[in-house]
Amino acid sequence: MSDPTHPSEPAAADRTDPARTRPPRPERRDVDSLVLVSTGDGKGKSTAAFGTVLRAVARDWRVLVVQFMKSGRWHVGEEAVCRRLGVEWWTIGDGFTWESDDLDRSAAIAREAWRAAAEALASGEWQLVVLDEVTYPMTYGWVDADEVLATIRDRAPGTYVYCTGRNASDALVELADTVSEVRKVKHAYATGVRARRGIDY
Ligand code: ATP
Ligand code: MG
C-alpha cells in the first residue's frame, strides 16, 4: 500500500501503473519572468489572462493591462474591478475591426497602443503586463510584428508578459514559454445568443 503521507510517491508495485506515472521533471531552471500566450478560437483567452491578473494582484504585483482592440467606449466589467484593485488599465483601441468604419484610424490607434506598451515593457515598472488581443494588430500588419517580438524578448527583467488573441504567430509561440490554445467546442453565439453581461464582459 502507498504511504498516504507521500501520495505522489507510488509504492514500488504501482510504478508500472500508467495512471500513477508522473511526467518527467526536467532539471530546475530559474527565470526572472515568463511570456505566456493564450490563443485559439474558443472562449477563454482574455478570461485566462484576467485570472492571472488576480493572482498577481494577490501578490501585490504592479500590473498593467493594455487592450489593443476593445473600444474605450465599451467598458468591460473586468476593467472596473481591476482598477479598483489597483491595476493600471489602458484601453486605447477603438473596437473590433468589423465595427470600425475607418481601418486607417484603427491601425493608427493600435500603433499608439503598441508604442505605449513597448515603453511599459522596457520600463521595469511592471511585474505583469497583459497585452490583450495583441495578436490582431500583429496579424493585420498594423504594427511591426518583428518589433513586437523583439520588444517582448528584450523586456526589462522581472516583467511577465501575457499575450492573448487568436492566431498567435509561429514566431510568438516560439518566443513564449507557456502557450495554451483554447479550442472552440461550442459557443452560444452560433445559436444567436449575444454577448452577456457578467459572462462575456
Ligand atoms: P473571453 O474574453 O470571454 O475570455 P476570448 O478572449 O477567448 O473571450 P475574444 O476573441 O477576445 O475571445 O472574444 C471576446 C468576446 O467574443 C467574448 O464575448 C466571447 O464570449 C466571444 N467569443 C469568444 N470566442 C467566440 C467564438 N468562437 N464564437 C463567438 N463568440 C466568441
Ligand atoms: Mg479576448
Side-chain angles (χ1 to χ4, degrees):
M1 228 165 100
S2 66
D3 177 355
T5 58
H6 294 93
S8 61
E9 291 291 345
D14 291 335
R15 278 191 227 278
T16 50
D17 178 352
R20 309 203 58 158
T21 309
R22 280 180 300 172
R25 191 151 56 162
E27 191 97 349
R28 190 187 173 116
R29 184 171 73 96
D30 276 326
V31 294
D32 67 43
S33 63
L34 296 164
V35 177
L36 303 101
V37 172
S38 190
T39 190
D41 65 357
K43 171 178 167 59
K45 300 175 289 296
S46 297
T47 312
F50 298 139
T52 306
V53 166
L54 277 187
R55 290 180 174 164
V57 167
R59 305 298 171 191
D60 294 323
W61 287 14
R62 294 177 307 276
V63 180
L64 167 66
V65 175
V66 182
Q67 287 210 296
F68 280 85
M69 303 299 283
K70 293 275 161 53
S71 168
R73 286 168 276 123
W74 185 29
H75 287 284
V76 292
E78 56 268 30
E79 174 180 349
V81 171
C82 281
R83 284 186 190 279
R84 245 182 272 156
L85 292 174
V87 171
E88 183 81 9
W89 191 288
W90 298 345
T91 302
I92 321 179
D94 72 341
F96 287 96
T97 40
W98 53 88
E99 289 173 1
S100 171
D101 38 27
D102 185 348
L103 271 184
D104 285 347
R105 183 166 177 273
S106 296
I109 289 174
R111 270 194 290 276
E112 198 56 25
W114 166 245
R115 207 187 44 73
E119 271 179 33
L121 290 168
S123 71
E125 214 180 302
W126 308 101
Q127 284 157 292
L128 173 63
V129 176
V130 175
L131 304 177
D132 191 36
E133 326 291 351
V134 71
T135 58
Y136 302 104
M138 292 172 78
T139 307
Y140 301 158
W142 291 348
V143 296
D144 182 340
D146 290 337
E147 186 197 315
V148 173
L149 295 166
T151 305
I152 293 174
R153 188 194 59 219
D154 301 334
R155 67 194 181 280
T159 306
Y160 286 76
V161 184
Y162 205 130
C163 303
T164 83
R166 293 183 187 201
N167 302 313
S169 66
D170 291 346
L172 179 58
V173 168
E174 173 76 29
L175 171 69
D177 300 283
T178 297
V179 181
S180 295
E181 183 168 331
V182 186
R183 183 175 66 87
K184 185 188 79 167
V185 177
K186 286 175 98 170
H187 197 292
Y189 187 83
T191 63
V193 180
R194 295 292 180 260
R196 289 201 104 77
R197 280 164 75 92
I199 297 294
D200 293 303
Y201 61 96

